[in-house]
């Protein structure tokens, strides 16, 4: 599950996205999350027609969803989260 300001916020604020970080209203996120889950289960070839169908019903949701998918694609292309973080746990009590 993705939450506003979490992975989505990280993707939208990543250096590959030169624009300002987009904050998604919690009510808007509740509408977008199931659609995002659904479209991410589709192949890249299926996504275009799915987004067009959504756009006919709800242009705003389709535009927001397209922006999220574009942010995810940009993050993937730039290698965001492709390498493990270099974090030392020395001295931490676990």
């Amino acid at each position: 599950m993705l939450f506003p300001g979490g992975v989505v916020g990280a993707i939208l604020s990543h250096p590959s996205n030169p624009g300002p970080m987009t904050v998604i209203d919690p009510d808007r996120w509740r509408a977008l999350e199931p659609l995002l889950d659904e479209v991410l289960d589709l192949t890249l070839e299926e996504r275009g027609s799915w987004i067009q169908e959504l756009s006919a019903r709800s242009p705003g949701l389709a535009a927001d969803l397209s922006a999220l998918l574009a942010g995810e694609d940009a993050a993937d292309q730039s290698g965001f989260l492709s390498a493990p973080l270099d974090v030392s746990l020395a001295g931490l009590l676990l």
Side-chain angles (χ1 to χ4, degrees):
M1 179 181 289
L2 302 174
F3 295 97
V7 174
V8 171
I11 289 171
L12 294 178
S13 65
H14 188 264
S16 66
N17 179 8
M21 182 174 158
T22 301
V23 177
I24 301 172
D25 175 86
D27 290 332
R28 187 64 164 179
W29 180 248
R30 279 189 279 283
L32 284 168
E33 185 178 22
L35 298 171
L36 182 61
D37 289 341
E38 188 174 342
V39 76
L40 288 173
D41 286 338
L42 300 174
T43 65
L44 292 176
E45 294 77 26
E46 295 170 320
R47 288 181 185 179
S49 61
W50 190 92
I51 293 285
Q52 284 181 337
E53 290 174 20
L54 176 63
S55 184
R57 296 187 317 266
S58 179
L61 282 174
D64 288 347
L65 195 59
S66 293
L68 288 171
L69 292 170
E72 183 212 17
D73 185 51
D76 285 348
Q77 294 296 320
S78 72
F80 183 66
L81 295 179
S82 62
L85 294 175
D86 185 18
V87 177
S88 172
L89 298 177
L92 294 177
L93 297 174
L94 300 176

